[in-house]
Amino acid sequence: MGAGWDVATVGGGGYVFEVAEDWAKLPEGWSFHEVSGVGVDHRDRVYVFSRGKHPLTVFDRDGTLVDSWGEGMFTRPHAVTMGPDETIYLIDDGDHTIRKCTLDGKVLLTIGVPGQPAPPRSGRPFNRPTHVAVANDGALYISDGYGNSRVHKFSPDGKHLFSWGEPGTDPGQFSLPHNICVDREGYLYVADRESHRVQVFDPKGRFETQWNNLFRPCGLFIDQRDPAGERAYVGELGPGLPVSKGIPHLGARVGIYTLDNRLLARLGDPLPGTEPEQFLAPHCVAVDSSGAVYVGEVSWMEHGRHLTPPREVRSFRKLVRVAQ
């Protein structure tokens, strides 16, 4: 590990990681404020989507800043999805759009009309969308989560094909569909955050099953390159209500699962916190080719603004997988 890194160990079984807490080297005076999205390209460059003054920062595998862009482009950064053709999808729930960009920031496609949301709970795209999944054929599945309870399917060129979902807790209903991923076979996994579950659908939106025993699942990433098989990484946001504060094992952690919902490891402490082995508010997860995990946290919204005086706290870390 590099000099100056705060090192702790998290995880268990075959998934043990050392925490490289200060891995990302920002210029003096810069800050993430909080990190809402993260993605990794085929060269293991890391794209951090944050709510600071520099919304998109790019780092090499050693944590050196190699690019930044997006100033003035976004209203409220929310999520990142890497495209298969050296593109990046950036979800802005503040202006109700999804932008497909080149890796250096040229906008290729905008889905949604900036600043013009659909009526709340209307089911029409979009009212504060949250994430995008790109299928093997290039089709786009978009979770429309804060102002809707819906998932929309679009063609690769941005044509709306169909939608499913409505408010509720029954199968196929949603209470804040937050993140969405697709596996090799085309099945969709939706982090249904406020229903405390992940729902699984076929490519036509038909309900297959659901995963329980989660607390406000928020970040969701499927690693298709793990030699042991596809693995789902689930970031659980942690308690949002005062009645749940201070109770252990209620989120603020990252779980690693097989796609048949077998828990392999949990990363994090029983309680949220600012120690290296603890999380505050995991919002996004990505994994690189070496199995290293990147976790972004909305730590200002969930923690920093409530401090006296309000102040920014840690919002991004790299977890380096330890050889077993």
Side-chain angles (χ1 to χ4, degrees):
M1 306 293 289
W5 285 355
D6 293 324
V7 179
T9 300
V10 296
Y15 293 87
V16 177
F17 300 84
E18 291 182 339
V19 181
E21 188 170 9
D22 299 321
W23 169 83
K25 303 173 184 69
L26 285 172
E28 185 176 354
W30 288 32
S31 77
F32 292 126
H33 188 62
E34 61 181 5
V35 174
S36 58
V38 62
V40 181
D41 71 11
H42 72 286
R43 288 188 279 177
D44 280 344
R45 292 179 301 186
V46 181
Y47 296 73
V48 180
F49 202 28
S50 71
R51 293 171 179 163
K53 294 180 180 179
H54 308 279
L56 203 291
T57 45
V58 186
F59 301 87
D60 67 16
R61 66 182 64 199
D62 295 321
T64 300
L65 181 73
V66 296
D67 200 3
S68 69
W69 48 269
E71 290 82 357
M73 185 184 297
F74 304 102
T75 301
R76 187 175 184 267
H78 193 268
V80 166
T81 298
M82 305 307 297
D85 49 356
E86 294 204 27
T87 57
I88 184 171
Y89 293 85
L90 297 165
I91 296 81
D92 185 341
D93 76 294
D95 79 349
H96 317 283
T97 62
I98 296 88
R99 292 178 177 89
K100 178 182 180 181
C101 300
T102 62
L103 296 183
D104 59 1
K106 179 183 177 182
V107 178
L108 302 174
L109 174 69
T110 299
I111 305 175
V113 181
Q116 296 187 27
R121 308 300 164 197
S122 65
R124 304 204 316 261
F126 300 102
N127 193 301
R128 302 190 65 196
T130 48
H131 200 207
V132 175
V134 184
N136 290 334
D137 63 359
L140 307 175
Y141 294 88
I142 301 173
S143 53
D144 197 4
Y146 286 111
N148 257 323
S149 301
R150 201 85 161 147
V151 172
H152 311 285
K153 183 175 182 179
F154 282 76
S155 66
D157 61 357
K159 179 182 177 182
H160 179 237
L161 301 176
F162 64 86
S163 305
W164 76 92
E166 62 182 358
T169 58
D170 288 339
Q173 297 178 332
F174 298 112
S175 180
L176 210 172
H178 192 272
N179 275 34
I180 184 167
C181 292
V182 62
D183 69 14
R184 290 175 187 157
E185 296 184 3
Y187 287 93
L188 279 300
Y189 299 72
V190 181
D192 189 10
R193 194 177 87 180
E194 301 306 323
S195 289
H196 303 283
R197 63 183 175 179
V198 169
Q199 295 195 68
V200 184
F201 301 90
D202 74 9
K204 295 185 177 180
R206 292 182 293 228
F207 175 84
E208 293 285 329
T209 188
Q210 68 182 32
W211 301 359
N212 300 308
N213 306 320
L214 297 161
F215 195 87
R216 302 180 76 205
C218 199
L220 187 61
F221 182 86
I222 293 179
D223 181 14
Q224 298 187 358
R225 297 182 292 187
D226 192 307
E230 291 179 279
R231 298 292 183 255
Y233 289 72
V234 183
E236 297 174 64
L237 191 59
L241 297 175
V243 71
S244 299
K245 300 289 186 181
I247 299 176
H249 306 297
L250 297 183
R253 62 193 180 189
V254 176
I256 305 173
Y257 296 82
T258 62
L259 296 192
D260 60 358
N261 191 25
R262 181 166 57 91
L263 178 64
L264 300 173
R266 281 197 174 115
L267 316 181
D269 248 18
L271 286 169
T274 57
E275 294 301 315
E277 69 276 9
Q278 293 177 309
F279 292 103
L280 285 167
H283 191 268
C284 56
V285 185
V287 181
D288 71 14
S289 65
S290 71
V293 178
Y294 302 86
V295 182
E297 303 187 69
V298 287
S299 52
W300 168 259
M301 287 290 295
E302 297 293 325
H303 185 74
R305 63 175 178 159
H306 302 296
L307 297 175
T308 304
R311 59 187 180 275
E312 292 184 26
V313 291
R314 181 200 63 231
S315 61
F316 187 67
R317 276 177 295 175
K318 178 178 182 176
L319 309 178
V320 180
R321 190 164 177 182
V322 178
Q324 299 291 297

PDB file of all heavy atoms in Angstrom, residues 6 19 21 269 271-280 297 299 303-304 307 311-315 317:
ATOM      1  N   ASP A   6      -4.602   5.504   4.788  1.00  0.00           N
ATOM      2  CA  ASP A   6      -5.132   4.925   6.018  1.00  0.00           C
ATOM      3  C   ASP A   6      -5.594   3.514   5.685  1.00  0.00           C
ATOM      4  O   ASP A   6      -6.476   3.315   4.847  1.00  0.00           O
ATOM      5  CB  ASP A   6      -6.316   5.753   6.524  1.00  0.00           C
ATOM      6  CG  ASP A   6      -5.875   7.134   6.983  1.00  0.00           C
ATOM      7  OD1 ASP A   6      -4.775   7.225   7.550  1.00  0.00           O
ATOM      8  OD2 ASP A   6      -6.619   8.099   6.771  1.00  0.00           O
ATOM      9  N   VAL A  19      -8.412  -1.014   2.853  1.00  0.00           N
ATOM     10  CA  VAL A  19      -9.047   0.265   2.557  1.00  0.00           C
ATOM     11  C   VAL A  19      -7.980   1.294   2.201  1.00  0.00           C
ATOM     12  O   VAL A  19      -7.136   1.631   3.029  1.00  0.00           O
ATOM     13  CB  VAL A  19      -9.874   0.758   3.756  1.00  0.00           C
ATOM     14  CG1 VAL A  19     -10.556   2.084   3.418  1.00  0.00           C
ATOM     15  CG2 VAL A  19     -10.905  -0.294   4.166  1.00  0.00           C
ATOM     16  N   GLU A  21      -8.145   4.687   1.746  1.00  0.00           N
ATOM     17  CA  GLU A  21      -9.111   5.756   1.978  1.00  0.00           C
ATOM     18  C   GLU A  21      -8.766   7.032   1.235  1.00  0.00           C
ATOM     19  O   GLU A  21      -9.628   7.732   0.713  1.00  0.00           O
ATOM     20  CB  GLU A  21      -9.246   6.035   3.476  1.00  0.00           C
ATOM     21  CG  GLU A  21     -10.364   7.005   3.797  1.00  0.00           C
ATOM     22  CD  GLU A  21     -10.626   7.074   5.294  1.00  0.00           C
ATOM     23  OE1 GLU A  21      -9.844   6.508   6.066  1.00  0.00           O
ATOM     24  OE2 GLU A  21     -11.624   7.693   5.660  1.00  0.00           O
ATOM     25  N   ASP A 269     -18.697  -1.939   9.127  1.00  0.00           N
ATOM     26  CA  ASP A 269     -18.944  -2.205  10.544  1.00  0.00           C
ATOM     27  C   ASP A 269     -20.437  -2.382  10.814  1.00  0.00           C
ATOM     28  O   ASP A 269     -21.266  -1.995   9.995  1.00  0.00           O
ATOM     29  CB  ASP A 269     -18.441  -1.011  11.363  1.00  0.00           C
ATOM     30  CG  ASP A 269     -17.234  -1.376  12.212  1.00  0.00           C
ATOM     31  OD1 ASP A 269     -16.598  -2.402  11.917  1.00  0.00           O
ATOM     32  OD2 ASP A 269     -16.934  -0.633  13.160  1.00  0.00           O
ATOM     33  N   LEU A 271     -22.117  -0.567  12.718  1.00  0.00           N
ATOM     34  CA  LEU A 271     -22.661   0.793  12.860  1.00  0.00           C
ATOM     35  C   LEU A 271     -21.976   1.722  11.869  1.00  0.00           C
ATOM     36  O   LEU A 271     -20.799   1.549  11.547  1.00  0.00           O
ATOM     37  CB  LEU A 271     -22.458   1.321  14.277  1.00  0.00           C
ATOM     38  CG  LEU A 271     -23.350   0.732  15.371  1.00  0.00           C
ATOM     39  CD1 LEU A 271     -22.849   1.162  16.739  1.00  0.00           C
ATOM     40  CD2 LEU A 271     -24.802   1.168  15.173  1.00  0.00           C
ATOM     41  N   PRO A 272     -22.700   2.730  11.385  1.00  0.00           N
ATOM     42  CA  PRO A 272     -22.062   3.717  10.517  1.00  0.00           C
ATOM     43  C   PRO A 272     -21.067   4.564  11.296  1.00  0.00           C
ATOM     44  O   PRO A 272     -21.146   4.689  12.519  1.00  0.00           O
ATOM     45  CB  PRO A 272     -23.237   4.561  10.016  1.00  0.00           C
ATOM     46  CG  PRO A 272     -24.298   4.400  11.052  1.00  0.00           C
ATOM     47  CD  PRO A 272     -24.131   3.023  11.603  1.00  0.00           C
ATOM     48  N   GLY A 273     -20.125   5.165  10.573  1.00  0.00           N
ATOM     49  CA  GLY A 273     -19.147   6.028  11.219  1.00  0.00           C
ATOM     50  C   GLY A 273     -18.087   6.485  10.263  1.00  0.00           C
ATOM     51  O   GLY A 273     -18.121   6.172   9.061  1.00  0.00           O
ATOM     52  N   THR A 274     -17.112   7.222  10.778  1.00  0.00           N
ATOM     53  CA  THR A 274     -16.073   7.816   9.953  1.00  0.00           C
ATOM     54  C   THR A 274     -14.728   7.110  10.072  1.00  0.00           C
ATOM     55  O   THR A 274     -13.740   7.563   9.487  1.00  0.00           O
ATOM     56  CB  THR A 274     -15.900   9.300  10.321  1.00  0.00           C
ATOM     57  OG1 THR A 274     -15.597   9.410  11.712  1.00  0.00           O
ATOM     58  CG2 THR A 274     -17.173  10.084  10.018  1.00  0.00           C
ATOM     59  N   GLU A 275     -14.666   6.009  10.822  1.00  0.00           N
ATOM     60  CA  GLU A 275     -13.430   5.233  10.871  1.00  0.00           C
ATOM     61  C   GLU A 275     -13.198   4.559   9.521  1.00  0.00           C
ATOM     62  O   GLU A 275     -14.142   4.340   8.750  1.00  0.00           O
ATOM     63  CB  GLU A 275     -13.506   4.191  11.982  1.00  0.00           C
ATOM     64  CG  GLU A 275     -13.566   4.779  13.389  1.00  0.00           C
ATOM     65  CD  GLU A 275     -12.360   5.634  13.706  1.00  0.00           C
ATOM     66  OE1 GLU A 275     -11.227   5.205  13.404  1.00  0.00           O
ATOM     67  OE2 GLU A 275     -12.553   6.736  14.243  1.00  0.00           O
ATOM     68  N   PRO A 276     -11.943   4.201   9.194  1.00  0.00           N
ATOM     69  CA  PRO A 276     -11.653   3.636   7.876  1.00  0.00           C
ATOM     70  C   PRO A 276     -12.474   2.400   7.519  1.00  0.00           C
ATOM     71  O   PRO A 276     -12.814   2.191   6.354  1.00  0.00           O
ATOM     72  CB  PRO A 276     -10.155   3.301   7.972  1.00  0.00           C
ATOM     73  CG  PRO A 276      -9.615   4.276   8.962  1.00  0.00           C
ATOM     74  CD  PRO A 276     -10.710   4.460   9.976  1.00  0.00           C
ATOM     75  N   GLU A 277     -12.802   1.588   8.512  1.00  0.00           N
ATOM     76  CA  GLU A 277     -13.552   0.363   8.226  1.00  0.00           C
ATOM     77  C   GLU A 277     -15.062   0.576   8.246  1.00  0.00           C
ATOM     78  O   GLU A 277     -15.829  -0.374   8.056  1.00  0.00           O
ATOM     79  CB  GLU A 277     -13.169  -0.738   9.222  1.00  0.00           C
ATOM     80  CG  GLU A 277     -13.616  -0.504  10.655  1.00  0.00           C
ATOM     81  CD  GLU A 277     -12.670   0.363  11.458  1.00  0.00           C
ATOM     82  OE1 GLU A 277     -11.726   0.948  10.851  1.00  0.00           O
ATOM     83  OE2 GLU A 277     -12.851   0.459  12.687  1.00  0.00           O
ATOM     84  N   GLN A 278     -15.499   1.795   8.479  1.00  0.00           N
ATOM     85  CA  GLN A 278     -16.925   2.091   8.548  1.00  0.00           C
ATOM     86  C   GLN A 278     -17.393   2.839   7.299  1.00  0.00           C
ATOM     87  O   GLN A 278     -16.609   3.474   6.599  1.00  0.00           O
ATOM     88  CB  GLN A 278     -17.236   2.952   9.782  1.00  0.00           C
ATOM     89  CG  GLN A 278     -17.020   2.253  11.102  1.00  0.00           C
ATOM     90  CD  GLN A 278     -17.287   3.183  12.278  1.00  0.00           C
ATOM     91  OE1 GLN A 278     -16.766   4.295  12.351  1.00  0.00           O
ATOM     92  NE2 GLN A 278     -18.134   2.737  13.198  1.00  0.00           N
ATOM     93  N   PHE A 279     -18.692   2.746   7.055  1.00  0.00           N
ATOM     94  CA  PHE A 279     -19.337   3.542   6.020  1.00  0.00           C
ATOM     95  C   PHE A 279     -20.373   4.458   6.655  1.00  0.00           C
ATOM     96  O   PHE A 279     -20.878   4.177   7.751  1.00  0.00           O
ATOM     97  CB  PHE A 279     -20.021   2.648   4.988  1.00  0.00           C
ATOM     98  CG  PHE A 279     -19.080   1.852   4.136  1.00  0.00           C
ATOM     99  CD1 PHE A 279     -18.872   0.500   4.384  1.00  0.00           C
ATOM    100  CD2 PHE A 279     -18.405   2.440   3.076  1.00  0.00           C
ATOM    101  CE1 PHE A 279     -18.006  -0.251   3.606  1.00  0.00           C
ATOM    102  CE2 PHE A 279     -17.542   1.707   2.293  1.00  0.00           C
ATOM    103  CZ  PHE A 279     -17.332   0.358   2.544  1.00  0.00           C
ATOM    104  N   LEU A 280     -20.709   5.523   5.933  1.00  0.00           N
ATOM    105  CA  LEU A 280     -21.778   6.418   6.350  1.00  0.00           C
ATOM    106  C   LEU A 280     -23.017   6.264   5.481  1.00  0.00           C
ATOM    107  O   LEU A 280     -24.127   6.136   5.994  1.00  0.00           O
ATOM    108  CB  LEU A 280     -21.300   7.879   6.290  1.00  0.00           C
ATOM    109  CG  LEU A 280     -20.361   8.321   7.395  1.00  0.00           C
ATOM    110  CD1 LEU A 280     -19.725   9.665   7.052  1.00  0.00           C
ATOM    111  CD2 LEU A 280     -21.102   8.412   8.727  1.00  0.00           C
ATOM    112  N   GLU A 297     -20.059   7.791  -1.423  1.00  0.00           N
ATOM    113  CA  GLU A 297     -21.059   7.965  -0.369  1.00  0.00           C
ATOM    114  C   GLU A 297     -21.662   9.367  -0.424  1.00  0.00           C
ATOM    115  O   GLU A 297     -20.953  10.346  -0.675  1.00  0.00           O
ATOM    116  CB  GLU A 297     -20.421   7.744   1.004  1.00  0.00           C
ATOM    117  CG  GLU A 297     -19.767   6.373   1.154  1.00  0.00           C
ATOM    118  CD  GLU A 297     -19.296   6.124   2.564  1.00  0.00           C
ATOM    119  OE1 GLU A 297     -20.156   5.977   3.454  1.00  0.00           O
ATOM    120  OE2 GLU A 297     -18.063   6.095   2.792  1.00  0.00           O
ATOM    121  N   SER A 299     -22.363  11.380   1.825  1.00  0.00           N
ATOM    122  CA  SER A 299     -22.105  11.601   3.251  1.00  0.00           C
ATOM    123  C   SER A 299     -22.503  12.994   3.713  1.00  0.00           C
ATOM    124  O   SER A 299     -22.742  13.203   4.905  1.00  0.00           O
ATOM    125  CB  SER A 299     -20.634  11.340   3.551  1.00  0.00           C
ATOM    126  OG  SER A 299     -19.818  12.069   2.663  1.00  0.00           O
ATOM    127  N   HIS A 303     -25.047  12.867   6.628  1.00  0.00           N
ATOM    128  CA  HIS A 303     -24.292  13.056   7.869  1.00  0.00           C
ATOM    129  C   HIS A 303     -23.729  14.465   8.023  1.00  0.00           C
ATOM    130  O   HIS A 303     -24.017  15.151   9.018  1.00  0.00           O
ATOM    131  CB  HIS A 303     -23.153  12.040   7.935  1.00  0.00           C
ATOM    132  CG  HIS A 303     -22.384  12.040   9.206  1.00  0.00           C
ATOM    133  ND1 HIS A 303     -22.873  11.525  10.382  1.00  0.00           N
ATOM    134  CD2 HIS A 303     -21.129  12.516   9.501  1.00  0.00           C
ATOM    135  CE1 HIS A 303     -21.977  11.662  11.348  1.00  0.00           C
ATOM    136  NE2 HIS A 303     -20.917  12.268  10.840  1.00  0.00           N
ATOM    137  N   GLY A 304     -22.935  14.924   7.055  1.00  0.00           N
ATOM    138  CA  GLY A 304     -22.180  16.158   7.230  1.00  0.00           C
ATOM    139  C   GLY A 304     -23.021  17.388   7.500  1.00  0.00           C
ATOM    140  O   GLY A 304     -22.654  18.230   8.330  1.00  0.00           O
ATOM    141  N   LEU A 307     -24.035  17.936  11.190  1.00  0.00           N
ATOM    142  CA  LEU A 307     -23.034  18.184  12.212  1.00  0.00           C
ATOM    143  C   LEU A 307     -23.081  19.653  12.656  1.00  0.00           C
ATOM    144  O   LEU A 307     -23.651  20.503  11.984  1.00  0.00           O
ATOM    145  CB  LEU A 307     -21.642  17.853  11.671  1.00  0.00           C
ATOM    146  CG  LEU A 307     -21.399  16.391  11.280  1.00  0.00           C
ATOM    147  CD1 LEU A 307     -20.019  16.239  10.655  1.00  0.00           C
ATOM    148  CD2 LEU A 307     -21.549  15.465  12.475  1.00  0.00           C
ATOM    149  N   ARG A 311     -20.203  20.259   8.026  1.00  0.00           N
ATOM    150  CA  ARG A 311     -18.910  20.164   7.346  1.00  0.00           C
ATOM    151  C   ARG A 311     -18.879  18.895   6.484  1.00  0.00           C
ATOM    152  O   ARG A 311     -19.597  17.925   6.746  1.00  0.00           O
ATOM    153  CB  ARG A 311     -17.762  20.127   8.352  1.00  0.00           C
ATOM    154  CG  ARG A 311     -17.802  18.982   9.338  1.00  0.00           C
ATOM    155  CD  ARG A 311     -16.720  19.126  10.392  1.00  0.00           C
ATOM    156  NE  ARG A 311     -16.713  18.044  11.359  1.00  0.00           N
ATOM    157  CZ  ARG A 311     -17.483  18.003  12.442  1.00  0.00           C
ATOM    158  NH1 ARG A 311     -18.310  19.004  12.707  1.00  0.00           N
ATOM    159  NH2 ARG A 311     -17.395  16.982  13.279  1.00  0.00           N
ATOM    160  N   GLU A 312     -18.051  18.946   5.461  1.00  0.00           N
ATOM    161  CA  GLU A 312     -17.877  17.793   4.596  1.00  0.00           C
ATOM    162  C   GLU A 312     -17.117  16.695   5.334  1.00  0.00           C
ATOM    163  O   GLU A 312     -16.217  16.968   6.145  1.00  0.00           O
ATOM    164  CB  GLU A 312     -17.117  18.181   3.332  1.00  0.00           C
ATOM    165  CG  GLU A 312     -17.899  19.096   2.408  1.00  0.00           C
ATOM    166  CD  GLU A 312     -17.156  19.393   1.117  1.00  0.00           C
ATOM    167  OE1 GLU A 312     -16.316  18.560   0.705  1.00  0.00           O
ATOM    168  OE2 GLU A 312     -17.414  20.449   0.521  1.00  0.00           O
ATOM    169  N   VAL A 313     -17.482  15.454   5.031  1.00  0.00           N
ATOM    170  CA  VAL A 313     -16.783  14.292   5.572  1.00  0.00           C
ATOM    171  C   VAL A 313     -16.440  13.372   4.405  1.00  0.00           C
ATOM    172  O   VAL A 313     -16.838  13.608   3.265  1.00  0.00           O
ATOM    173  CB  VAL A 313     -17.639  13.567   6.631  1.00  0.00           C
ATOM    174  CG1 VAL A 313     -17.790  14.418   7.877  1.00  0.00           C
ATOM    175  CG2 VAL A 313     -19.018  13.216   6.084  1.00  0.00           C
ATOM    176  N   ARG A 314     -15.715  12.331   4.699  1.00  0.00           N
ATOM    177  CA  ARG A 314     -15.253  11.411   3.662  1.00  0.00           C
ATOM    178  C   ARG A 314     -16.410  10.915   2.796  1.00  0.00           C
ATOM    179  O   ARG A 314     -17.476  10.556   3.294  1.00  0.00           O
ATOM    180  CB  ARG A 314     -14.575  10.217   4.325  1.00  0.00           C
ATOM    181  CG  ARG A 314     -14.028   9.178   3.375  1.00  0.00           C
ATOM    182  CD  ARG A 314     -13.833   7.851   4.067  1.00  0.00           C
ATOM    183  NE  ARG A 314     -15.101   7.310   4.537  1.00  0.00           N
ATOM    184  CZ  ARG A 314     -15.325   6.873   5.782  1.00  0.00           C
ATOM    185  NH1 ARG A 314     -14.383   6.952   6.687  1.00  0.00           N
ATOM    186  NH2 ARG A 314     -16.493   6.396   6.106  1.00  0.00           N
ATOM    187  N   SER A 315     -16.169  10.869   1.474  1.00  0.00           N
ATOM    188  CA  SER A 315     -17.238  10.428   0.574  1.00  0.00           C
ATOM    189  C   SER A 315     -16.783   9.445  -0.499  1.00  0.00           C
ATOM    190  O   SER A 315     -17.595   9.029  -1.317  1.00  0.00           O
ATOM    191  CB  SER A 315     -17.871  11.650  -0.104  1.00  0.00           C
ATOM    192  OG  SER A 315     -16.928  12.356  -0.874  1.00  0.00           O
ATOM    193  N   ARG A 317     -13.874   6.052  -1.398  1.00  0.00           N
ATOM    194  CA  ARG A 317     -12.757   5.177  -1.033  1.00  0.00           C
ATOM    195  C   ARG A 317     -12.550   4.080  -2.070  1.00  0.00           C
ATOM    196  O   ARG A 317     -13.497   3.655  -2.745  1.00  0.00           O
ATOM    197  CB  ARG A 317     -13.005   4.512   0.328  1.00  0.00           C
ATOM    198  CG  ARG A 317     -12.609   5.371   1.492  1.00  0.00           C
ATOM    199  CD  ARG A 317     -12.930   4.699   2.797  1.00  0.00           C
ATOM    200  NE  ARG A 317     -14.368   4.532   2.950  1.00  0.00           N
ATOM    201  CZ  ARG A 317     -14.932   3.868   3.971  1.00  0.00           C
ATOM    202  NH1 ARG A 317     -14.168   3.316   4.880  1.00  0.00           N
ATOM    203  NH2 ARG A 317     -16.243   3.784   4.053  1.00  0.00           N
TER     204      ARG A 317
END
